[in-house]
Amino acid sequence: MLIVKASSNFAAKRVEYLYEAMQQDKKCDTAFTVRGRMFPAHLIILMACSEFFGTHEGLVEGIMSQFDYEVIDAILKYCYTGEINIGDKHRKKLVELANLLEVKIPPQFKTVNKSNCLNVLKSTGDSELLKKAMYLTLENFETLHKTQGFLKLPVSNVIEILKSNYLNVPSEESVFNAVKLWVNHDNANRKSNLAQLMRSVRLSLLSVEFIINVVMTFCHSCAECMTTIRQEIINKNDKSFVPRETPRSKIQKMALVGGWGIHVANTIDIFDGLNNSWTLSKNIGINKHSFASVLVGDWIVIIGGYNSSNESVTSVEYIDLKSGQKQPLKPLNQARYDLSAVTLRRDSSTDVYAIGGYDNGFLSSVERWNTNTRDWKIIAPLLVAVRDQSASVIADKIYITGGRTNENRKRISTNKVQMYSVATNSWTYRAQMIQRRHNHSCIAFKGKLYVAGGYDLQTSSNLDSVEHYDPNANVWTAFTKLPISIYGVTLCWFLNKLFSMGGNNKSDVWEYDETNKSWKTSTSLSRTREFAVAHVIPYDSII
């Protein structure tokens, strides 16, 4: 008896030929006409995918007429090749058409969830599906890495997961333990991948004890690994050595809100770290600019501003990050724009502060809104009325840095710093900044204030200076200057890095390089934007 087995791609070549024949209308025995366009096909191929094509052939054309051409093309291609490649815009409609024609498409195409995300990672080429699957994998890694789904992933998928800055783990030990589990699942065939996998483990974040007692014990047979491990132990014993690796971060996005001009302020620039890209939100319908914004839970609260009639306003709205909807809140007592706003967390609620600004004159008034009472209350005024100032919070203290003000009937930029104490409901002066400035940015990080850029009215000049403030010592210290002199920039700490964004009608983004003590270019904004505020928001936000 002679038995011959064709090559592994024998069937695939025939499917490819049949699909090309369908596209060229070769030997097709059926066709469906939708809005003047004909879709030829081989009925026996379609019936092999769904009996519906044979038993209800007369209904197919009417069903297809409800759908876009892209959806029909995709479903027919799937019937021939078993492949689906369609954008997110048409995904729901494809599922709907498949259900009507009783075509069983892969379950992971319909929805991506925690239970199937690992399977999606290794079985689809759809970029949108991969993005959702990777998000769920990174977010739930602590439980998923112990499952059979993870242990059966190819090494390329495992490396892609482990190298991510967004891996949601309690410590770097979990990353090493995942490597250990994956290799031990098939040690004979996988130990050759160990060196490649260990490059994704951030050894500098592990203790010397863990490295010696656990990592070295497991990696003792890998020469490349042992060389790297021994060098890391030497580095850890060198007190002057600065680790280059940063801890993993929870998956989040950065939202840049507001700016000069209604056409700008009506959209939000959103940075997606997974794709390293900026996109614009839909029009959020704010119809004002020069407002302040704060993040309160799942809300971005928009406070005050300047409308299209050239009037300062009292209106306050919020954008729900879960629904994308805009809703009104109780208005301010005082119309104001070019103000600043911050939040302070209480035990069971959050306070929002609207501070200073302008309305036919510089404002010293301050208002406080609470998430429980949802009412604005006038509190102690600033020591000096300002607009275009910047505000931030350390502990239970609010710091107002710089701004424009009147002095001896002359408008000036100030370097004064005003601090509010919740406990005493009073303002006091703190050490003045090194540089006078307004239209700058101020943020708090690890117990210090950082201010950057701005404008100095007295010298009519944009500023490149950056400085930081230690509240315990009450001292300002010069920091690495920005690459250019610019006003209206926005600072944000994101992914354990300091970013400076936009300003002066620009879309430039700079990232501070801690190792080299310098600023380097990063991915530009999707549009020019100045006087905006940055918020770190949940990754699954809908805006």
Side-chain angles (χ1 to χ4, degrees):
M1 179 183 293
L2 177 63
I3 299 176
V4 177
K5 189 173 182 180
S7 61
S8 58
N9 66 345
F10 181 86
K13 286 291 184 182
R14 269 92 194 130
V15 168
E16 184 179 317
Y17 175 82
L18 286 170
Y19 181 58
E20 290 177 358
M22 181 268 284
Q23 290 180 304
Q24 298 170 23
D25 197 7
K26 289 183 178 179
K27 301 295 183 180
C28 293
D29 55 1
T30 190
F32 312 104
T33 303
V34 178
R35 296 184 298 279
R37 176 179 165 183
M38 189 174 70
F39 293 86
H42 303 92
L43 186 59
I44 192 65
I45 297 293
L46 301 182
M47 289 174 61
C49 199
S50 169
E51 285 291 337
F52 188 92
F53 287 102
T55 57
H56 300 86
E57 186 178 359
L59 300 177
V60 174
E61 197 170 272
I63 292 172
M64 287 184 172
S65 66
Q66 307 168 42
F67 296 87
D68 291 343
Y69 295 148
E70 293 89 347
V71 176
I72 300 170
D73 282 329
I75 202 72
L76 291 176
K77 181 179 181 180
Y78 177 73
C79 290
Y80 277 80
T81 67
E83 296 179 4
I84 294 175
N85 187 2
I86 195 168
D88 194 51
K89 175 183 176 181
H90 297 294
R91 183 173 291 113
K92 289 183 180 179
K93 285 295 182 181
L94 178 65
V95 174
E96 183 182 340
L97 179 57
N99 289 336
L100 290 171
L101 298 177
E102 298 179 8
V103 175
K104 295 181 180 179
I105 60 177
Q108 67 265 27
F109 184 80
K110 298 180 181 180
T111 57
V112 183
N113 52 47
K114 182 180 175 180
S115 64
N116 66 18
C117 59
L118 291 171
N119 188 46
V120 173
L121 280 182
K122 65 179 182 180
S123 63
T124 182
D126 186 291
S127 60
E128 287 298 321
L129 284 179
L130 285 172
K131 179 180 173 181
K132 293 178 182 178
M134 181 58 74
Y135 160 65
L136 288 168
T137 300
L138 298 174
E139 184 74 4
N140 300 283
F141 182 77
E142 188 61 14
T143 55
L144 289 178
H145 84 271
K146 302 172 185 176
T147 66
Q148 287 296 307
F150 176 79
L151 298 177
K152 292 180 180 180
L153 283 177
V155 66
S156 58
N157 286 139
V158 175
I159 291 171
E160 183 182 12
I161 294 167
L162 297 184
K163 70 181 182 182
S164 174
N165 285 328
Y166 295 98
L167 202 57
N168 187 20
V169 289
S171 71
E172 198 67 17
E173 291 182 10
S174 291
V175 183
F176 172 77
N177 289 333
V179 170
K180 187 176 178 181
L181 282 172
W182 187 87
V183 172
N184 282 339
H185 188 70
D186 186 7
N187 188 274
N189 294 311
R190 292 179 173 180
K191 61 183 179 181
S192 60
N193 300 126
L194 184 57
Q196 191 178 10
L197 288 163
M198 284 300 295
R199 294 185 202 122
S200 300
V201 180
R202 301 178 181 183
L203 293 175
S204 66
L205 303 180
L206 297 172
S207 67
V208 173
E209 292 75 18
F210 186 85
I211 292 174
I212 293 173
N213 297 328
V214 181
V215 179
M216 290 186 74
T217 300
F218 182 70
C219 298
H220 69 278
S221 62
C222 175
E224 181 182 331
C225 293
M226 292 303 291
T227 299
T228 304
I229 291 168
R230 291 190 183 100
Q231 183 59 53
E232 184 57 42
I233 292 174
I234 293 172
N235 292 342
K236 284 182 175 291
N237 290 327
D238 180 358
K239 301 302 181 182
S240 64
F241 181 76
V242 179
R244 291 185 297 274
E245 297 171 316
T246 58
R248 315 282 180 156
S249 301
K250 183 177 175 63
I251 308 177
Q252 295 172 310
K253 294 178 182 177
M254 179 164 50
L256 207 55
V257 183
W260 176 256
I262 291 175
H263 65 292
V264 174
N266 250 330
T267 59
I268 299 173
D269 242 317
I270 304 165
F271 181 70
D272 182 345
L274 279 179
N275 295 328
N276 194 36
S277 63
W278 290 91
T279 56
L280 279 178
S281 73
K282 64 180 183 181
N283 189 311
I284 55 178
I286 294 299
N287 297 319
K288 59 181 181 178
H289 63 92
S290 301
F291 52 73
S293 68
V294 293
L295 188 65
V296 181
D298 290 327
W299 294 357
I300 293 178
V301 180
I302 309 295
I303 306 166
Y306 201 64
N307 66 19
S308 57
S309 300
N310 297 324
E311 300 169 330
S312 55
V313 297
T314 60
S315 61
V316 180
E317 307 88 7
Y318 73 88
I319 301 165
D320 191 323
L321 295 174
K322 297 301 182 184
S323 68
Q325 299 299 308
K326 182 191 72 170
Q327 298 291 339
L329 290 170
K330 188 166 183 179
L332 296 162
N333 294 292
Q334 166 70 58
R336 62 183 80 220
Y337 67 97
D338 288 347
L339 68 153
S340 52
V342 295
T343 62
L344 274 173
R345 179 70 183 168
R346 293 190 181 186
D347 291 337
S348 59
S349 63
T350 298
D351 286 334
V352 176
Y353 293 79
I355 305 166
Y358 195 85
D359 179 38
N360 297 317
F362 295 94
L363 299 174
S364 62
S365 65
V366 181
E367 304 183 45
R368 180 172 61 206
W369 179 89
N370 181 264
T371 51
N372 288 342
T373 64
R374 299 206 178 180
D375 197 11
W376 288 98
K377 178 182 178 182
I378 301 293
I379 62 171
L382 294 165
L383 298 171
V384 59
V386 288
R387 67 183 287 193
D388 297 321
Q389 73 279 11
S390 191
S392 199
V393 173
I394 296 179
D396 61 346
K397 304 291 192 300
I398 300 172
Y399 293 85
I400 299 296
T401 57
R404 276 194 282 175
T405 188
N406 272 329
E407 187 173 286
N408 298 323
R409 298 183 179 180
K410 183 179 179 181
R411 295 191 174 190
I412 65 165
S413 301
T414 182
N415 60 352
K416 291 180 178 178
V417 177
Q418 306 176 66
M419 184 192 77
Y420 177 75
S421 169
V422 176
T424 62
N425 185 33
S426 63
W427 294 86
T428 55
Y429 285 120
R430 301 296 286 169
Q432 295 182 352
M433 292 184 292
I434 301 168
Q435 169 67 55
R436 299 181 300 258
R437 63 182 83 225
H438 72 271
N439 285 339
H440 58 288
S441 185
C442 172
I443 61 169
F445 182 71
K446 293 185 177 179
K448 290 185 178 181
L449 292 181
Y450 290 78
V451 298
Y455 192 84
D456 184 353
L457 278 171
Q458 286 88 314
T459 59
S460 300
S461 57
N462 294 334
L463 303 172
D464 62 1
S465 66
V466 183
E467 48 189 301
H468 63 82
Y469 172 73
D470 183 343
N472 294 322
N474 192 28
V475 171
W476 288 92
T477 305
F479 193 72
T480 307
K481 292 182 177 182
L482 295 172
I484 62 173
S485 300
I486 191 167
Y487 68 85
V489 297
T490 304
L491 294 179
C492 185
W493 281 98
F494 185 65
L495 299 179
N496 299 303
K497 299 173 184 177
L498 178 61
F499 289 87
S500 174
M501 300 163 287
N504 199 14
N505 201 31
K506 294 184 180 297
S507 60
D508 298 334
V509 177
W510 297 282
E511 172 191 328
Y512 184 68
D513 185 340
E514 179 66 34
T515 302
N516 297 314
K517 308 298 181 186
S518 64
W519 295 89
K520 61 182 181 180
T521 57
S522 187
T523 309
S524 296
L525 303 174
S526 51
R527 72 177 309 163
T528 60
R529 193 179 292 266
E530 57 195 26
F531 313 128
V533 177
H535 304 296
V536 178
I537 62 175
Y539 192 81
D540 57 355
S541 299
I542 302 174
I543 51 173

